[in-house]
Amino acid sequence: MSTIAFIPARCGSKSISLKNIKEFCGKPLIYWNILSLQNCSSVDKIAIATDCSTIEETVREFQFSKVDIYRRSNENAGDTASTESVMLEYLNISNLNENDTFILVQATSPLTQEIHFTEALEKYRSEIFDSLLTCVRWKRFFWTSGGNSENYDYKNRPRRQDFDGQLMENGAFYINSVTNILQNKNRLSGKIGIYEMPEYTAVEIDEEDDWIIAEKLMYKHILNTKHNKKIKLFLSDIDGVLTDAGMYYSEKGDELKKFCTYDGMAFNILQTNNIQVGIITGENRELNRRRVEKLKLDFAFHGETNKLETVTDLCTKIGISLSEVAYIGDDINDFELLSNVGLAACPANAVKKIKDIPNIIHLQKKGGEGAVREFSEIILSQNLTES
């Protein structure tokens, strides 16, 4: 028996153009759910149902091994098409086993994490539900338009801590079996279970205001899990981050490297925002020194064999902690430092060991193509949430 996650992602959106791949916390919106599902050992396959070549190309760039693209019909991609209709279309043409588990996942709920999928699937199976949906506990008082209180006695108004509240569907994901969906033509059926998620996951992105709120919540509860301090120091590796990891040689034997001017501007922007900046590299080459000199960085470490020790000593010297450091690296000699700083990121071309570091930010850009600029924007956004 397999578990298939299904994410509808059509091109059209009345409120936000190409919403499913609009940048959210430095990544296309749909990336975050795919990442959590990719990391969830209980999920075997991720089907992205889209009618859009742009969305397909974006998703393929993630290079996640579990992902499969399904091109949904135009009939089931219009404004009036229901989610059930595209689910049934997919199930009717796929070769899934009737006993397979099917998870409908909404890209507009990007705060859903790997642990939520894992725990919900465990509850669905261990408590033998026919289907399951996600909810949050909403401690709000509701009234009818006729002036009647619905969920509390206004004459004996309870304190919030004594009030159970109500479970509100947050639309994050739904679990059912393939056979139940085909028979009932609905995402839910039979004995329905509820998996309760944290209150901050109540937000669903439908309008621009939702986007602003969701990004702040993402940085606070998920991307900022290792610290709650502002970033005061930004450091970058050079080869594979500020460059494309290639070495170029002229006919005379001169060594050349290609740097990205957008990355150069990122250092300047961070300095303007009172963040000290620098590079730390295992190589000791004159052309690296010339680039650093032009950028007018605050710190430069060349030929370093123990990056973590060097940066720890620097933090002591300037009076900050590692939790106030952001670092971007791409290869195994960056592993220890990336695993200990407050905010870590890697370019799209990083090696697997680096990409597998818990909580590391997977950037969309490759080294030498603006990855540092992309990371700098994330740092500034996060610092803003801590103001």
Side-chain angles (χ1 to χ4, degrees), residues 144-301:
T144 68
S145 57
N148 297 311
S149 57
E150 287 194 320
N151 63 338
Y152 82 111
D153 178 4
Y154 71 90
K155 294 179 181 179
N156 296 286
R157 189 182 189 93
R159 298 184 306 165
R160 179 179 171 84
Q161 58 266 41
D162 298 326
F163 182 52
D164 290 336
Q166 290 181 295
L167 289 172
M168 181 185 76
E169 189 173 337
N170 68 347
F173 61 93
Y174 306 80
I175 304 176
N176 207 333
S177 68
V178 170
T179 185
N180 281 345
I181 296 171
L182 289 172
Q183 287 178 2
N184 297 285
K185 297 180 171 37
N186 196 292
R187 69 191 73 182
L188 295 170
S189 57
K191 180 184 176 183
I192 300 174
I194 292 175
Y195 174 69
E196 190 171 336
M197 293 178 66
E199 187 174 344
Y200 67 81
T201 65
V203 62
E204 292 182 83
I205 298 178
D206 291 314
E207 305 294 339
E208 291 286 353
D209 285 352
D210 300 330
W211 203 280
I212 296 169
I213 295 167
E215 280 198 319
K216 288 186 177 295
L217 290 170
M218 186 76 159
Y219 282 121
K220 178 180 180 180
H221 294 283
I222 298 170
L223 297 182
N224 197 26
T225 55
K226 293 180 69 176
H227 64 91
N228 57 3
K229 298 180 180 179
K230 284 187 177 182
I231 294 300
K232 296 181 179 179
L233 172 64
F234 168 73
L235 296 172
S236 174
D237 184 27
I238 290 185
D239 290 316
V241 176
L242 288 172
T243 77
D244 60 2
M247 287 297 300
Y248 305 88
Y249 296 89
S250 69
E251 290 186 357
K252 295 181 180 180
D254 296 322
E255 292 184 356
L256 305 172
K257 292 185 180 182
K258 179 176 73 70
F259 292 89
C260 176
T261 57
Y262 297 128
D263 289 336
M265 181 58 71
F267 286 106
N268 179 261
I269 293 172
L270 290 170
Q271 286 176 315
T272 302
N273 284 272
N274 299 315
I275 298 173
Q276 293 182 287
V277 299
I279 61 92
I280 181 166
T281 174
E283 289 200 331
N284 194 356
R285 295 178 180 273
E286 183 58 31
L287 71 171
N288 288 339
R289 294 180 183 275
R290 288 201 295 271
R291 180 58 177 162
V292 168
E293 183 179 350
K294 184 173 182 180
L295 292 174
K296 298 180 180 179
L297 307 182
D298 300 298
F299 306 102
F301 301 95

Side-chain angles (χ1 to χ4, degrees), residues 25-43:
C25 296
K27 288 291 198 179
L29 177 63
I30 198 171
Y31 170 88
W32 298 106
N33 268 315
I34 298 177
L35 174 65
S36 295
L37 290 164
Q38 175 71 25
N39 292 334
C40 180
S41 60
S42 301
V43 174

